[in-house]
Amino acid sequence: LKDRDKDKLSLTNAKARLHVIENQLEGLKQKHKELGAQHLAVEKERDDLYHTFEAAIKEVQQKTDFSNIVLEQKIQQASRDVDEADAQAEQITAAANLDPMQMEQIRDSITDALRSRNGMIKDLEYGLLRLKKGFNDALRTYSEQMVEFGIPQEEVDALGFQEFSQKGASIGPAGLVVK
């Protein structure tokens, strides 16, 4: 009788533990199912991203290839134009009975003059960019100061000053514009 009560108690405890473990198992099965679904969703997203990435790479390659073809055609056309211009210059030289050495000197002097002028143009464009940048910086500073002194932004804007467009300029101070 003494052992029977002990056995009943052990059976009851074992059933209770079994019930708890079965509940835990059911919870773990549910969690496993949810994680499996999440895993599939993440794998699908990964695959979609991979395919999208591949498509984007192929598109960029196609655009680059097309651009390269266009550039090659332009280079070939420019080369033909230069050859044609050289041939015309030689024909003019031959027709005018000019000395080829003199023509070469004239061509060299024209090339040097063009290089010099192009350099001057670049320097002037750089100076203009610095001036625009300085003006824009000063305009921003003065506008901010006016607002700080209590002048409404609408009145400052009504003055009509507008910033210059600054293609190729940084957002740093005007003295930091680099050639």
Side-chain angles (χ1 to χ4, degrees):
L1 189 62
K2 188 175 178 187
D3 287 336
R4 184 171 182 228
D5 289 339
K6 212 186 228 185
D7 289 341
K8 271 184 161 179
L9 183 60
S10 291
L11 181 62
T12 306
N13 288 338
K15 285 183 179 180
R17 277 192 311 250
L18 177 64
H19 183 67
V20 168
I21 290 174
E22 284 177 346
N23 286 342
Q24 288 176 344
L25 178 63
E26 195 60 39
L28 289 174
K29 283 182 180 179
Q30 183 64 29
K31 190 171 186 178
H32 178 72
K33 188 176 180 182
E34 290 171 2
L35 289 174
Q38 286 178 352
H39 178 73
L40 290 175
V42 168
E43 277 186 337
K44 183 183 182 312
E45 183 180 353
R46 181 203 60 198
D47 292 343
D48 290 346
L49 287 174
Y50 183 75
H51 294 302
T52 303
F53 178 73
E54 282 183 338
I57 294 292
K58 287 178 183 176
E59 182 180 340
V60 168
Q61 284 177 336
Q62 288 175 348
K63 286 180 181 180
T64 303
D65 290 344
F66 179 73
S67 296
N68 287 341
I69 290 170
V70 170
L71 286 175
E72 285 178 20
Q73 289 174 348
K74 286 182 179 181
I75 289 172
Q76 290 172 355
Q77 183 61 41
S79 178
R80 286 191 295 268
D81 291 346
V82 167
D83 291 343
E84 186 178 318
D86 282 344
Q88 287 176 352
E90 287 178 18
Q91 287 175 356
I92 291 170
T93 303
N97 292 326
L98 297 175
D99 182 27
M101 291 300 285
Q102 284 180 328
M103 285 304 294
E104 189 65 33
Q105 289 174 349
I106 292 171
R107 185 180 298 144
D108 290 343
S109 67
I110 290 173
T111 302
D112 291 341
L114 286 174
R115 281 191 192 120
S116 172
R117 298 286 160 78
N118 286 338
M120 289 171 54
I121 289 170
K122 285 184 179 182
D123 289 343
L124 289 171
E125 286 174 343
Y126 171 71
L128 179 62
L129 182 63
R130 283 191 71 185
L131 290 172
K132 285 179 178 181
K133 180 79 172 133
F135 175 82
N136 289 346
D137 290 349
L139 181 62
R140 262 187 251 112
T141 301
Y142 290 137
S143 295
E144 289 170 4
Q145 288 293 315
M146 287 179 182
V147 170
E148 284 180 18
F149 290 136
I151 299 172
Q153 183 67 42
E154 296 80 29
E155 287 184 30
V156 173
D157 293 341
L159 292 174
F161 293 109
Q162 295 179 359
E163 289 189 3
F164 287 104
S165 70
Q166 301 178 134
K167 290 183 181 174
S170 67
I171 57 172
L176 297 179
V177 176
V178 179
K179 286 186 179 181

